[in-house]
Amino acid sequence: MHTNKIVIEPGRAEKNYWRDLWLFRELFYILSWRDIKVRYKQTVIGAAWSIIRPLLTTIIFTVVFSRVAKLGSPSGAPYAIMVFAGMLPWQFFANALSEASNSLVGNANLVSKVYFPRMIIPASSIITSLVDFGISFLLLIAMIVFYQYVPDVKIFLLPVFLLMALVAAFGVGLYITALNVKYRDFRYIIPFIVQIGLYITPVGFSSSVVPEKWRLWYSLNPMVGVVDGFRWCILGEHMELTGFLISLVVILLFLWLGVYYFRKTEKNFADNI
């Protein structure tokens, strides 16, 4: 039986890092499955939290923005579906960012004792949020059936924008989790980022309410392009190509920055953690 052997030698990690990521893919599967089991272990309603949280937020946003602020859905779709179409990618991004950002500190014993590409840890932590997204998506289907709304055929392009949200969370998560190893107070910053981000991202309202002169600056928020993309796929809402491209560039920039800083500081993780 053939087995892969890892020989620890000076400079090997830098030279064969990306190859080692593939060799340690089984560890990625193990950590992902462990995180999924821990997520729902000893919870009263288990996976139902993936539905209850976005549902309650959607109800609140629908009442506040539709009934109180008198905002409407540009596509003519039910406002609740419009809000939930924005809530889906945001909830995924927020959960994935939180999980990835605290993943290294949460696996301190593993990091300090065994050699493997540390990037596997934040990558595997995001899988749990992907499972939550799949469960929440079932609620979107139920809402579509309830309101008897027929989505556009572009709904099959949703995986493209889900991938954008995943890359955004992974890039930012890599950067912050590396910072969190050295500066532990960064764990207090993540909830603040998520809380503020919910209100500066077009979740409870459409991007069309943002004044035209601020639209491009607004797109510097990487999740604006993702949320607009989800609504374009599901509701057929207009999506500005320029704003989408700006969000995409920002996402790729964060990915590069996250990978660069993570790799730069990775050799000191075991000492600092």
Side-chain angles (χ1 to χ4, degrees), residues 117-234:
R118 311 307 191 200
M119 202 175 292
I120 288 178
I121 292 180
S124 64
S125 67
I126 293 178
I127 300 301
T128 307
S129 303
L130 201 57
V131 173
D132 285 346
F133 175 86
I135 297 172
S136 300
F137 192 79
L138 297 176
L139 180 57
L140 175 65
I141 295 176
M143 292 176 67
I144 288 174
V145 173
F146 176 80
Y147 284 102
Q148 298 182 341
Y149 179 81
V150 180
D152 196 286
V153 69
K154 295 191 292 290
I155 194 172
F156 293 106
L157 293 175
L158 271 181
V160 175
F161 298 97
L162 176 60
L163 178 62
M164 286 179 59
L166 189 151
V167 172
F170 184 61
V172 179
L174 279 180
Y175 185 73
I176 296 182
T177 195
L179 285 173
N180 198 25
V181 170
K182 190 173 183 180
Y183 309 104
R184 296 301 172 87
D185 50 349
F186 266 87
R187 67 181 182 271
Y188 302 114
I189 298 178
I190 304 304
F192 176 76
I193 294 176
V194 171
Q195 185 177 12
I196 296 298
L198 177 61
Y199 295 102
I200 63 174
T201 302
V203 175
F205 54 90
S206 171
S207 292
S208 60
V209 305
V210 178
E212 190 70 31
K213 63 180 180 179
W214 300 111
R215 199 74 58 81
L216 294 182
W217 291 103
Y218 189 59
S219 298
L220 289 174
N221 175 351
M223 287 305 295
V224 168
V226 175
V227 171
D228 286 348
F230 262 67
R231 288 183 176 142
W232 176 72
C233 291
I234 299 171

Side-chain angles (χ1 to χ4, degrees), residues 92-104:
F92 168 73
F93 171 80
N95 290 341
L97 178 61
S98 299
E99 295 289 340
S101 299
N102 295 304
S103 58
L104 285 178

